[in-house]
Amino acid sequence: MSYPPCERPLPSARLDPVDSFSEALWLMMSTIDTEPIQETVLLVLDDARCGVGVTHVESRGPDDVVAAVDWIASTAGSTVEAAGLIVGSVRPNGGAELGDLARWAQIAELCDEAGLELLEWIVLGSSGVTCPREVSGAPPRWRC
């Protein structure tokens, strides 16, 4: 899998906000191995959209993203500094699936209930990058 880099330096944790999809994608790509495994990556942001945490969860299937977001929403969502979330699903032998639209709705609801803004869910697959938010018709949540 190969994706274009962002044009500015990687945002520094607790200092630089993640303001665009390209920054989120580049940050996501910087957290996964060069030999990707099937996993869910969760980037927790503060109210200024600066990174405050990253978690990797090994995945056995596409539905595991819901369990991972539920877990992070119930733990990080109760902290003062957690305000936003960027989710990545790494699917090295696949890509977007029909069920992703329903999964988007589920993880968006979990985040809403926890007081977290779900900025994006990025699916990184062998066929490229997709964002279920776009398919759902929800507007972009980026500042630029």
Side-chain angles (χ1 to χ4, degrees):
M1 295 186 304
S2 175
Y3 305 101
C6 183
E7 294 186 13
R8 51 182 258 204
L10 276 174
S12 297
R14 300 184 188 276
L15 295 175
D16 300 321
V18 181
D19 287 328
S20 69
F21 173 78
S22 62
E23 290 172 341
L25 177 59
W26 197 23
L27 191 56
M28 187 69 59
M29 294 302 301
S30 74
T31 68
I32 62 174
D33 289 330
T34 54
E35 290 296 323
I37 62 167
Q38 190 164 310
E39 67 178 326
T40 300
V41 180
L42 304 139
L43 302 171
V44 181
L45 308 176
D46 64 14
D47 60 355
R49 293 191 175 175
C50 297
V52 294
V54 61
T55 300
H56 293 255
V57 180
E58 188 175 339
S59 178
R60 291 180 187 83
D63 287 331
D64 287 353
V65 68
V66 176
V69 170
D70 186 30
W71 174 76
I72 207 80
S74 65
T75 55
S78 63
T79 67
V80 173
E81 60 183 354
L85 188 64
I86 301 169
V87 179
S89 290
V90 182
R91 299 175 180 166
N93 299 316
E97 297 190 355
L98 291 175
D100 286 345
L101 189 57
R103 290 180 194 99
W104 166 262
Q106 285 180 286
I107 66 174
E109 183 176 334
L110 289 168
C111 287
D112 285 346
E113 290 171 357
L116 296 172
E117 179 181 18
L118 177 59
L119 293 166
E120 198 70 85
W121 175 26
I122 303 169
V123 178
L124 305 166
S126 57
S127 58
V129 176
T130 58
C131 296
R133 176 198 49 77
E134 291 176 346
V135 177
S136 76
R141 298 170 180 183
W142 299 107
R143 294 179 180 154
C144 54

